[in-house]
Amino acid sequence: MSGTSGLFQLWQVPSSSLFSGCSKLSKGLYLVPARVMYPMSCFHKQMQTTYEIVKGSYVSNPQDRQENKEKLTPKVENVGAFQKLPMVMPSVDILHSALRKAKRVSPTKGIANAAKRERNKGAKQLDSLMKELAVPLRTYKENFPNKKYLHPYERSLIELTLGDGNYEDVLGKLEALRKKVVSVGKEHASICAKSLSKREAEERLNEGLKRIQEIFDRDGKAVDELLNIAKTLRAMPVVDLETPTLCLVGAPNVGKSSLVRVLSTGKPEICNYPFTTRGILMGHINLSYQNFQVTDTPGILRRCDEDRNNLEKLTLAVLTHLPTAVLYVHDLSGECGMSPSDQFVIYKEMRERFSSHIWLDVVSKCDLLQASPVIFTTDDCNADNFELVRYRKIGPDGALNVSVKKEIGLQELKKRVYELLVSQSERIRKQKSKEEGLEVSV
């Protein structure tokens, strides 16, 4: 019998049996396990695992194995991770603060020998400098989220705003810098601790301080890059997934930003050139004592996804990953610089691609519409396409004509937007109830 098996058998025997049978143990007899088996709990890193006895062997409970697996697997974050990012200090400030604290470290009291005292002080100061630099680097690495576990919308924002792979690259440089500082710091602290004289200890200390400072000066730009990343990500608009959101979509310069100003608290830039909106802009609408969100998005051009710029991809990311209602804006006046035919093609593509969204069509700048439609040299003038011919004249079926400049149709627009967002609110509520029901059943 193995020692482990004997220990388990001994543990299972009532205490009274142990006392009465202790004389038999010395004669080589062993105890028979009791019929009632007790579970054993092992604790490790605040995780409890219950073991059961199956055919004389101890195996973990399947339910506990599943619970532990869930604890070890990070869950996908909800939106809002960017607002939880830690404050990042500039690399210069980190270095100066670390040097100042390290130089204040004194040798251990009670060392009479000058050489021993100096090498003790040198080793402690180098160790202190190493820790003062490594701790914030480790904190940043641990508290900046893994992109893999972000909400898909925020993951898209990182890729499109910072460039694909740049976020992970900066975090990798930061970790490499930390490891280098720790390695060099320990090496020079060890060398200083072996000094044979006071003068040698002072030289070793100065060499170590200089070496660590050189490394941080050279590679500390990773910290400044992370600082800029944190500023950029914190400036991203916060979207509440449980609050109904209206997303304005359309070609560049069709009047989306003007409508956002009319409908919400958002104040986007308004200019007469394409791609005025250079990011996702958020505002809020308060209608009938209810609060809603509205987002202005960059314009979409007529081209395939592979040729789209990052501004267009931001718009597609919003529509793909956020539960929004769509206010699609059309400009048939010719003022936006894109032909109605091209707008028609884009509209049909977006409508088919995001058919699950609640939709409202608006024809802007209706005060500029003429009796005969504007024809561009690039227009498709195929008279057999009746849907296109009709679109060039009045837009899609059911579209609302508005003019911000002449204040035409704005009250009707607000009414229709309110109805749209109420429907979106009901859809969000049903989806949430469905998800909660699935969680209960699981």
Side-chain angles (χ1 to χ4, degrees):
M1 178 183 299
S2 66
T4 305
S5 176
L7 178 61
F8 282 141
Q9 291 170 349
L10 190 63
W11 169 74
Q12 293 164 355
V13 177
S15 58
S16 58
S17 300
L18 288 176
F19 285 111
S20 61
C22 60
S23 60
K24 295 182 180 181
L25 286 172
S26 60
K27 297 181 181 180
L29 298 179
Y30 59 91
L31 296 171
V32 178
R35 293 182 180 177
V36 179
M37 299 299 182
Y38 300 96
M40 183 183 78
S41 297
C42 294
F43 297 89
H44 179 62
K45 291 185 179 180
Q46 299 180 344
M47 291 195 301
Q48 180 176 349
T49 304
T50 304
Y51 290 88
E52 297 176 342
I53 300 176
V54 179
K55 295 182 181 181
S57 301
Y58 289 84
V59 297
S60 58
N61 191 315
Q63 182 179 355
D64 289 333
R65 286 201 300 269
Q66 180 64 26
E67 290 177 356
N68 290 344
K69 183 178 180 181
E70 291 175 357
K71 290 179 181 179
L72 292 172
T73 304
K75 295 183 179 179
V76 175
E77 288 279 351
N78 205 338
V79 292
F82 297 157
Q83 279 60 51
K84 301 175 186 176
L85 296 176
M87 297 301 296
V88 180
M89 291 176 60
S91 60
V92 174
D93 293 350
I94 295 175
L95 180 59
H96 288 175
S97 174
L99 286 170
R100 188 171 59 252
K101 291 179 181 179
K103 289 178 180 179
R104 288 204 299 259
V105 174
S106 57
T108 304
K109 293 182 179 180
I111 302 178
N113 185 279
K116 290 182 179 180
R117 185 167 60 249
E118 191 62 32
R119 70 190 184 202
N120 175 267
K121 184 184 78 170
K124 288 179 67 176
Q125 287 189 355
L126 289 170
D127 184 71
S128 173
L129 177 61
M130 177 265 293
K131 290 178 179 176
E132 290 293 335
L133 294 175
V135 168
L137 298 180
R138 185 181 66 231
T139 302
Y140 299 152
K141 179 68 168 60
E142 291 175 350
N143 287 280
F144 272 75
N146 188 327
K147 194 177 77 173
K148 182 169 59 175
Y149 302 117
L150 287 173
H151 187 277
Y153 167 66
E154 293 184 328
R155 197 183 311 146
S156 298
L157 288 182
I158 285 182
E159 293 170 354
L160 297 174
T161 305
L162 304 178
D164 194 14
N166 287 345
Y167 178 77
E168 299 91 329
D169 184 50
V170 171
L171 290 178
K173 291 178 183 177
L174 201 74
E175 180 64 8
L177 174 60
R178 185 193 69 81
K179 290 180 178 179
K180 186 69 173 176
V181 167
V182 170
S183 173
V184 172
K186 288 182 176 180
E187 177 187 353
H188 281 272
S190 175
I191 293 173
C192 187
K194 298 175 183 178
S195 301
L196 300 178
S197 65
K198 178 181 177 181
R199 182 176 179 179
E200 183 184 356
E202 291 174 345
E203 291 175 353
R204 297 290 180 266
L205 170 61
N206 291 330
E207 288 174 3
L209 293 174
K210 183 179 179 181
R211 177 63 178 143
I212 295 175
Q213 187 172 353
E214 286 175 353
I215 292 172
F216 208 84
D217 284 336
R218 185 186 68 239
D219 300 333
K221 58 184 179 181
V223 179
D224 299 320
E225 290 176 8
L226 189 69
L227 173 61
N228 292 329
I229 285 176
K231 288 180 180 178
T232 301
L233 296 181
R234 278 197 212 94
M236 293 292 174
V238 181
V239 180
D240 183 358
L241 296 182
E242 296 185 3
T243 300
T245 302
L246 180 70
C247 180
L248 277 79
V249 186
N253 206 28
V254 294
K256 299 186 296 297
S257 298
S258 297
L259 291 176
V260 168
R261 280 178 169 265
V262 169
L263 293 171
S264 75
T265 59
K267 302 299 179 186
E269 180 185 3
I270 299 175
C271 295
N272 191 26
Y273 56 81
F275 292 109
T276 306
T277 303
R278 300 184 179 277
I280 304 300
L281 302 177
M282 293 295 298
H284 291 85
I285 306 175
N286 194 282
L287 296 172
S288 300
Y289 304 101
Q290 289 182 270
N291 192 43
F292 306 103
Q293 298 172 135
V294 59
T295 175
D296 186 15
T297 61
I300 300 291
L301 298 177
R302 181 182 177 179
R303 51 188 173 189
C304 60
D305 284 353
E306 291 77 13
D307 297 330
R308 297 196 187 280
N309 59 37
N310 284 351
L311 294 178
E312 295 174 272
K313 290 177 181 178
L314 279 174
T315 300
L316 298 180
V318 171
L319 294 173
T320 302
H321 302 303
L322 296 181
T324 61
V326 176
L327 179 65
Y328 200 95
V329 185
H330 311 258
D331 179 8
L332 308 179
S333 68
E335 287 288 310
C336 69
M338 181 181 291
S339 70
S341 296
D342 285 345
Q343 290 186 60
F344 176 74
V345 173
I346 299 170
Y347 169 70
K348 295 292 287 185
E349 178 191 347
M350 294 295 108
R351 191 68 193 258
E352 180 179 352
R353 187 168 178 174
F354 302 104
S355 58
S356 61
H357 290 251
I358 303 176
W359 205 279
L360 173 63
D361 292 302
V362 170
V363 175
S364 66
K365 309 175 188 177
C366 68
D367 57 307
L368 301 178
L369 294 180
Q370 302 173 9
S372 59
V374 175
I375 303 296
F376 280 61
T377 56
T378 58
D379 254 344
D380 180 4
C381 299
N382 184 5
D384 295 333
N385 191 340
F386 297 108
E387 188 178 4
L388 174 57
V389 172
R390 177 182 173 83
Y391 176 86
R392 282 207 300 260
K393 290 181 179 179
I394 62 173
D397 291 338
L400 182 65
N401 286 5
V402 300
S403 170
V404 174
K405 186 176 181 180
K406 299 291 185 178
E407 298 186 354
I408 300 172
L410 297 184
Q411 292 304 318
E412 178 65 19
L413 174 63
K414 291 180 180 180
K415 178 184 174 182
R416 296 277 293 276
V417 165
Y418 175 70
E419 294 172 353
L420 193 74
L421 290 172
V422 168
S423 300
Q424 180 66 14
S425 179
E426 182 64 20
R427 176 180 286 198
I428 292 174
R429 188 189 63 78
K430 288 181 179 179
Q431 181 63 25
K432 186 178 179 182
S433 299
K434 182 180 178 181
E435 292 174 355
E436 290 175 350
L438 289 174
E439 290 178 1
V440 170
S441 62
V442 172

